[in-house]
Amino acid sequence: MPFKKVQVNVLVTALCFLVLLLQSAGLLAEETTADQDAGDTPVYYTKPITVTAEKREENIQEVPVSVTAFSETQIEDAGITDVGELQTYIPNLSDFHFGPRGGSESHLLIRGVGSLLGDSSVGFYVDDVSYLSGVSFNMTDFYDIERIEFLRGPQGTLYGRNALGGVINIITKKPTNDFDVRAGLSFGDYNYRKYHARLNVPVVMDKLFFSLSGSYSERDGYVTNDLTGDTVDDREGYSGRAKLHWMPSDSLDITLGISGDRIRDGSYAIGPLEEIRENPYHVRHDFTGGYSDADQTREDLRVVYKTPGFTVTSITGLLQHSLESMNDQDFTANDFFINDYKKDTDQMTQELRFSSPDNSDSPLKWIGGTYLYRKDVKNDFDDIMRPDAYDFFSGGALSALGLDIESHGLLKGDVDTYGGALFGQATYTLFDKLDLTAGLRLEYEKSKAELRGDRVVNVSGPGVPFLPDYLD
C-alpha cells in the first residue's frame, strides 16, 4: 500500500533578514549582469563537501574511502527521516526489520555484508558516539541534521567492532553565532503529520551558543483488525535535543548534547500467510491491547583541545533504552498465545584520541587513541499460553472437565559486555596522487550472560482443591 507525504519548511529570523535578502539579491543581479555584458561565460562552483570519515575534517574528494555524503539541504529535499529511508538513496545499503519502531532490531547490510542475528555488522554513529544496539537505530529521528556520511567496506582500524560492512555517521548541527528559529511541517496519507522546530541562540557572542530542537509525528495504521474494525499499527513519536557549545579560547572547544526519543506504537501487524494473500492489510487478532512503547535518552560530551603539534579529542557517550511491548502471538482470532516483553539497555562509551593538526603541511598525517565501552542488556520475556490453547490441544477434554489451565513461560536474561581498544593509523604522502596508509587496532571484549527460565502453571476448576501453581 503506497504511503505518500509532503514536506513544508518555514524559516523565521530577525526582521532585518528580508531586507538583507533583497539587498543580496540586487547585488547578485548586478554582478551577473556585468558578467553577461562583458561576454564572459558564467562559471559555477559547488561548495566543497567536508567529511570526518577518517575522524578528521577532510575534503570528500581526498578521502581514500568509498564515501557517500548527504548535506542538510539534500536530506531535507529528499525527506529522509529515519534509517529505513536511507536505503532508497544510498546504493548497496539494505535495512531489514519488522514490527513497531523501537521494538525490533534494525539489521543493516552494506554490499550484502551484515548480520541478521545478534549485533549489527554495520557501525552506526551519532556525533561520534556509537550505538551498540540495533534497536536504537530505529528510534533515531533524522531532524536538525548537518550531514550524513555513509562509508562502505571494512572500517575496523578506526571504528573497531561491528564495522565489517561499513559505517553510517550522523552529524547533528552545532549551535552557532546566528539567532535562528526554524519550523517545519510534513503531512501525508493515513493522517500522517510531523512537526519539527529548532531554536539557535548565541548566549555570548563568539563564546557560548545554545540550540534546542524537537519533533512530533503521528500516523494512523493501515492494517485493520477485522474483529474490531480498528487499525493495529498506529504510530506516534516524540524527539528532542539540546546542545550547548562553548569556545572559551581558540584552542579549546566543548560541546554538550542531551537528546531523547519516545515512541508509542501499535502492535505487530502479522497474520497467517494465506489470509494475508487473500485479504492484504487485514488481520484477525483477538488480543486488542497490543502496544510497543520505547524510550531512549542520550548524553554526550565532546572536548577538543588543539596545540601547534597535535589535537586531543575526548568523546564521552551515555545511552539508555527501554522497551515494553505486549502482542498477540498466535496472530489469529483464537485466544491462544500472548507475549509480554521488556528490555532495558544501558551503554557507556569513551574515546580519547590524539591526531596531527588538520592544517599541517607535513606529508605525514597520523591519529591514535583508545576506546572503552560497556553495555548491559536486561531481557524479560513472558510467553503466555491461554486456557483456550490448552483446551484446543486436549481436544476439548479440559473444558468438558471444567478445568482452566494457563501457563507463563518466563525467561530472564542479563548480558553484560565490556571491552577496550588501542588503535593507530598513519598516512604518508609520497607525491600528489599517491598516499601510503598503515593502521593497527588491538581490541578486547568480554561478555557475561545470566539466563533463567521458569514455567508457572495456574490450574482452576471444580474438584481441584489444590494444585501447585509453580513448576520448574
Side-chain angles (χ1 to χ4, degrees):
M1 182 173 291
F3 173 68
K4 300 178 181 179
K5 63 182 179 181
V6 178
Q7 182 170 299
V8 179
N9 291 308
V10 179
L11 172 63
V12 181
T13 57
L15 293 177
C16 62
F17 173 78
L18 180 59
V19 177
L20 293 174
L21 180 63
L22 293 174
Q23 289 178 348
S24 299
L27 291 173
L28 181 60
E30 291 176 2
E31 292 173 356
T32 304
T33 303
D35 291 342
Q36 291 176 346
D37 291 342
D40 295 335
T41 302
V43 179
Y44 299 95
Y45 298 94
T46 59
K47 184 179 179 181
I49 299 176
T50 301
V51 297
T52 54
E54 295 198 317
K55 301 200 173 184
R56 64 168 69 244
E57 292 187 354
E58 297 176 288
N59 189 319
I60 190 172
Q61 294 181 333
E62 299 176 359
V63 178
V65 178
S66 177
V67 184
T68 298
F70 284 84
S71 66
E72 174 191 0
T73 302
Q74 290 174 314
I75 296 170
E76 292 179 353
D77 290 346
I80 300 174
T81 59
D82 55 39
V83 175
E85 293 179 350
L86 277 178
Q87 62 184 336
T88 305
Y89 301 94
I90 298 180
N92 314 124
L93 174 66
S94 301
D95 175 31
F96 292 91
H97 73 274
F98 71 96
R101 304 166 298 170
S104 60
E105 295 276 351
S106 184
H107 300 280
L108 302 175
L109 282 75
I110 298 178
R111 294 173 173 170
V113 178
S115 172
L116 298 181
L117 296 174
D119 290 340
S120 173
S121 296
V122 175
F124 189 86
Y125 288 75
V126 178
D127 293 332
D128 267 346
V129 176
S130 173
Y131 280 34
L132 303 179
S133 172
V135 175
S136 300
F137 300 177
N138 286 337
M139 293 198 61
T140 304
D141 190 9
F142 289 179
Y143 66 96
D144 198 24
I145 301 295
E146 176 184 314
R147 188 175 68 254
I148 298 176
E149 301 173 2
F150 175 71
L151 287 63
R152 298 176 182 84
Q155 308 294 328
T157 302
L158 296 180
Y159 291 92
R161 70 188 303 274
N162 301 336
L164 180 63
V167 169
I168 295 177
N169 278 330
I170 311 295
I171 297 91
T172 63
K173 290 182 182 178
K174 277 186 177 182
T176 64
N177 255 332
D178 301 322
F179 176 80
D180 189 23
V181 180
R182 293 174 182 262
L185 164 66
S186 301
F187 56 91
D189 295 344
Y190 304 99
N191 288 323
Y192 171 79
R193 296 178 298 279
K194 180 177 181 179
Y195 312 92
H196 59 90
R198 181 178 190 267
L199 169 67
N200 184 91
V201 179
V203 182
V204 179
M205 293 298 292
D206 299 324
K207 293 292 183 181
L208 186 62
F209 327 100
F210 174 76
S211 68
L212 181 66
S213 58
S215 71
Y216 170 78
S217 63
E218 61 179 342
R219 190 212 69 193
D220 294 343
Y222 49 84
V223 177
T224 302
N225 185 352
D226 289 340
L227 297 185
T228 64
D230 299 326
T231 53
V232 299
D233 55 337
D234 296 350
R235 289 188 170 191
E236 185 178 26
Y238 312 79
S239 295
R241 181 186 301 118
K243 299 188 81 171
L244 188 66
H245 185 196
W246 183 32
M247 299 175 62
S249 66
D250 293 339
S251 58
L252 184 59
D253 188 301
I254 302 173
T255 304
L256 174 66
I258 301 175
S259 63
D261 301 275
R262 166 167 287 191
I263 286 178
R264 296 294 181 262
D265 284 1
S267 61
Y268 289 80
I270 302 175
L273 181 59
E274 291 302 321
E275 293 185 9
I276 299 296
R277 284 175 173 172
E278 294 177 3
N279 195 12
Y281 307 106
H282 288 263
V283 295
R284 300 170 70 242
H285 294 177
D286 70 288
F287 181 69
T288 59
Y291 65 92
S292 179
D293 294 349
D295 296 283
Q296 179 170 279
T297 58
R298 183 176 72 97
E299 304 85 25
D300 61 88
L301 175 64
R302 180 187 183 92
V303 180
V304 180
Y305 182 70
K306 296 182 179 180
T307 71
F310 60 89
T311 299
V312 183
T313 304
S314 172
I315 302 168
T316 306
L318 301 174
L319 188 145
Q320 305 83 33
H321 177 275
S322 64
L323 166 70
E324 293 187 9
S325 69
M326 199 167 187
N327 297 284
D328 192 319
Q329 279 297 101
D330 56 82
F331 308 115
T332 68
N334 300 307
D335 184 14
F336 283 175
F337 302 100
I338 298 173
N339 176 260
D340 188 0
Y341 175 48
K342 297 178 178 62
K343 180 178 182 179
D344 291 303
T345 303
D346 291 283
Q347 77 165 58
M348 183 278 294
T349 60
Q350 172 63 54
E351 182 172 354
L352 179 64
R353 63 178 184 251
F354 299 82
S355 61
S356 56
D358 292 340
N359 57 355
S360 173
D361 295 329
S362 171
L364 178 64
K365 296 186 298 184
W366 55 270
I367 184 172
T370 181
Y371 180 72
L372 303 172
Y373 62 91
R374 181 164 189 169
K375 180 176 72 168
D376 184 33
V377 181
K378 292 181 172 62
N379 290 284
D380 189 348
F381 294 88
D382 184 2
D383 287 318
I384 305 170
M385 188 170 178
R386 302 280 291 156
D388 285 359
Y390 277 99
D391 190 52
F392 175 80
F393 291 116
S394 70
L398 292 177
S399 60
L401 295 173
L403 295 176
D404 281 337
I405 301 178
E406 179 177 285
S407 66
H408 295 257
L410 305 177
L411 178 62
K412 295 181 181 293
D414 187 354
V415 181
D416 191 10
T417 303
Y418 63 90
L422 295 173
F423 63 91
Q425 179 174 293
T427 299
Y428 189 85
T429 302
L430 299 176
F431 49 88
D432 186 42
K433 295 187 180 295
L434 182 61
D435 292 341
L436 181 63
T437 300
L440 178 67
R441 188 181 187 98
L442 301 176
E443 188 149 356
Y444 173 82
E445 178 177 293
K446 183 175 181 179
S447 293
K448 179 183 178 182
E450 296 181 1
L451 301 174
R452 180 187 176 185
D454 299 309
R455 179 159 295 277
V456 176
V457 180
N458 299 307
V459 182
S460 63
V464 185
F466 172 77
L467 273 178
D469 63 355
Y470 182 83
L471 301 177
D472 287 332

